[in-house]
C-alpha cells in the first residue's frame, strides 16, 4: 500500500465516519440523561428522507438540512412523549420509531415522487459542496504534506467539520458546564436532581432535542452523500452508533475513536472487494460485513465491562 492509497483510505474513513459520529454523539447526550435511544436508526431515516425531499424541491441542501433536523426532532419528541411523559418502556418506544420510519418514508416517498420510495437525484446546490481550506491548492504538490492537507484534511463538506468540532464541544458542555453536570446527574441519580429543585423532565427533553438536532445532521449528510434518499439507506448505522457508544463508554473523545474505527472498516470493505491470502480468497461479502461483525463483537465483549448511566432506561416517577 503506497502513501496516496493510504491517504485515500483515510479520507474515505472520515467521510464514512461522519454520520456515525453525529449519531453516536446524539446517543451520548440522550443516554447520559438516562434515556435509552434505540430509535437513532429511525431518526436517521426520517431526517434523510425529509432532507432529500426538501433539497430536491427547493434546490437547497441547507433548507434540506432544516427539514431533516425538523423530522428528527419530531421523532425525538415522540420518543420523549412515550418514554418520559407517559413513562413507557424506552426500548419498545425506540424500536417502534424505527419501524415507523422504515415504513413511513417509503410510503410517503412513493406518494410524493412515484419512484418506489426514493427521492429524485440531488444535483448542484441540492448537495453539500466540498470546502477547500486555505492554501490547499498551493500545498497540493508538496511531497507527503500536500496530499495529507489537500486530500485528507481539506476537501470535506461543512457537516464533516461540524461533526469533528462537535466532539470537543460536547466534552466541554458535559464536563465543564452546569447544564452538563445536571444532565449527567439526571442519568445517574434523578431523584437527587429533583430534590435540588431541577426539573428532571425538562433536562431529559433537552437531551432529546440535542439528539434530534445531531441525528438530523447525520441523516442530511447521508442524503447528500448518496445524492438522494433510498429505502433503508441508513443500513443499520443507528445500531452501529449505539455499539460505538458502548465501546466509547459514553465519552465524547472515545466516541470519535470508535466511529473512526467503524469508518475505517467500511472504507477497507469498499476499497478491497476481495483479498487473497495465499490460496484463500476472502469474499467481498465478508469485507462489506466487517462493520457489523465488529458491532457484534463489541456488544458481546464490552457490554458487561462498559458501565452505562445508572438510571438509563428507567422512567422517573416524582416522589410525593
Amino acid at each position: 500500500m503506497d502513501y496516496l492509497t493510504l491517504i485515500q483510505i483515510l479520507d474515505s474513513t472520515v467521510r464514512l465516519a461522519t454520520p456515525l459520529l453525529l449519531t453516536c454523539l446524539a446517543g451520548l447526550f440522550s443516554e447520559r440523561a438516562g434515556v435509552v435511544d434505540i430509535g437513532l436508526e429511525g431518526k436517521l431515516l426520517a431526517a434523510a428522507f425529509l432532507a432529500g425531499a426538501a433539497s430536491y424541491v427547493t434546490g437547497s441542501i441547507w433548507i434540506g438540512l432544516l427539514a431533516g433536523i425538523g423530522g428528527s426532532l419530531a421523532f425525538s419528541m415522540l420518543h420523549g412523549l412515550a418514554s418520559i411523559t407517559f413513562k413507557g418502556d424506552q426500548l419498545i418506544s425506540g424500536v417502534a420509531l424505527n419501524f415507523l420510519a422504515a415504513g413511513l418514508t417509503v410510503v410517503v416517498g412513493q406518494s410524493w415522487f412515484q419512484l418506489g420510495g426514493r427521492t429524485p437525484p440531488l444535483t448542484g446546490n441540492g448537495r453539500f459542496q466540498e470546502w477547500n481550506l486555505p492554501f490547499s491548492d498551493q500545498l497540493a504538490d508538496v511531497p507527503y504534506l500536500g496530499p495529507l492537507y489537500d486530500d485528507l484534511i481539506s476537501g470535506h463538506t461543512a457537516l464533516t467539520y461540524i461533526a469533528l468540532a462537535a466532539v470537543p464541544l460536547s466534552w466541554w458542555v458535559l464536563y465543564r458546564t452546569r447544564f452538563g453536570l445536571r444532565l449527567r446527574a439526571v442519568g445517574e441519580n434523578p431523584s437527587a436532581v429533583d430534590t435540588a429543585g431541577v426539573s428532571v423532565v425538562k433536562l431529559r427533553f433537552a437531551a432529546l432535542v440535542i439528539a434530534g438536532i445531531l441525528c438530523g445532521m447525520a441523516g442530511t449528510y447521508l442524503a447528500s452523500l448518496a445524492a438522494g434518499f433510498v429505502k433503508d439507506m441508513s443500513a443499520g448505522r443507528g445500531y452501529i452508533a449505539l455499539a460505538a457508544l458502548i465501546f466509547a463508554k459514553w465519552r465524547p473523545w472515545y466516541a470519535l475513536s470508535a466511529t473512526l474505527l467503524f469508518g475505517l472498516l467500511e472504507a477497507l470493505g469498499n476499497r478491497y472487494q476481495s483479498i487473497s491470502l495465499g490460496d484463500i480468497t476472502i469474499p467481498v461479502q465478508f469485507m462489506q460485513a466487517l462493520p457489523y461483525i465488529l458491532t457484534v463483537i463489541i456488544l458481546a465483549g464490552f457490554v458487561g465491562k462498559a458501565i452505562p448511566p445508572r438510571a438509563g432506561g428507567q422512567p422517573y416517577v416524582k416522589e410525593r
Side-chain angles (χ1 to χ4, degrees), residues 19-93:
L20 289 177
L21 177 58
L22 287 168
T23 309
C24 187
L25 291 176
L28 172 67
F29 275 96
S30 178
E31 298 206 5
R32 276 292 189 177
V35 181
V36 175
D37 204 350
I38 300 294
L40 293 174
E41 182 80 3
K43 293 176 190 177
L44 275 179
L45 273 178
F49 171 72
L50 287 174
S55 297
Y56 171 75
V57 172
T58 64
S60 171
I61 188 61
W62 296 105
I63 295 179
L65 175 61
L66 292 177
I69 291 175
S72 180
L73 280 173
F75 270 63
S76 271
M77 293 303 98
L78 276 176
H79 185 45
L81 184 67
S83 61
I84 300 175
T85 303
F86 295 119
K87 299 176 175 56
D89 189 287
Q90 296 175 7
L91 295 177
I92 294 176
S93 171

Side-chain angles (χ1 to χ4, degrees), residues 69-263:
I69 291 175
S72 180
L73 280 173
F75 270 63
S76 271
M77 293 303 98
L78 276 176
H79 185 45
L81 184 67
S83 61
I84 300 175
T85 303
F86 295 119
K87 299 176 175 56
D89 189 287
Q90 296 175 7
L91 295 177
I92 294 176
S93 171
V95 171
L97 288 179
N98 291 340
F99 282 121
L100 178 63
L104 198 59
T105 51
V106 175
V107 172
V108 176
Q110 173 63 19
S111 174
W112 286 359
F113 303 110
Q114 290 80 46
L115 293 173
R118 296 182 293 110
T119 61
L122 303 179
T123 57
N125 291 328
R127 301 178 66 187
F128 285 111
Q129 304 301 313
E130 295 180 351
W131 282 10
N132 290 319
L133 299 180
F135 309 111
S136 59
D137 294 335
Q138 292 84 341
L139 294 173
D141 296 328
V142 177
Y144 296 103
L145 177 62
L148 177 66
Y149 183 74
D150 185 48
D151 296 332
L152 179 58
I153 299 176
S154 178
H156 295 284
T157 65
L159 282 187
T160 298
Y161 297 113
I162 290 174
L164 293 174
V167 176
L169 180 61
S170 297
W171 176 85
W172 180 78
V173 168
L174 285 172
Y175 294 99
R176 289 294 183 271
T177 67
R178 180 179 299 177
F179 171 76
L181 174 63
R182 290 175 173 175
L183 192 74
R184 288 184 289 121
V186 163
E188 296 292 340
N189 193 345
S191 60
V193 176
D194 192 19
T195 303
V198 179
S199 174
V200 173
V201 171
K202 287 182 180 179
L203 278 171
R204 287 189 168 179
F205 267 106
L208 286 178
V209 167
I210 296 173
I213 293 172
L214 291 170
C215 275
M217 291 181 182
T220 305
Y221 181 89
L222 286 178
S224 175
L225 188 67
F229 175 83
V230 295
K231 178 183 177 183
D232 295 330
M233 71 179 304
S234 55
R237 285 182 174 86
Y239 300 112
I240 292 177
L242 281 175
L245 183 60
I246 294 171
F247 189 37
K249 298 181 179 179
W250 294 269
R251 296 179 182 178
W253 288 109
Y254 291 177
L256 174 62
S257 303
T259 51
L260 284 175
L261 175 60
F262 280 104

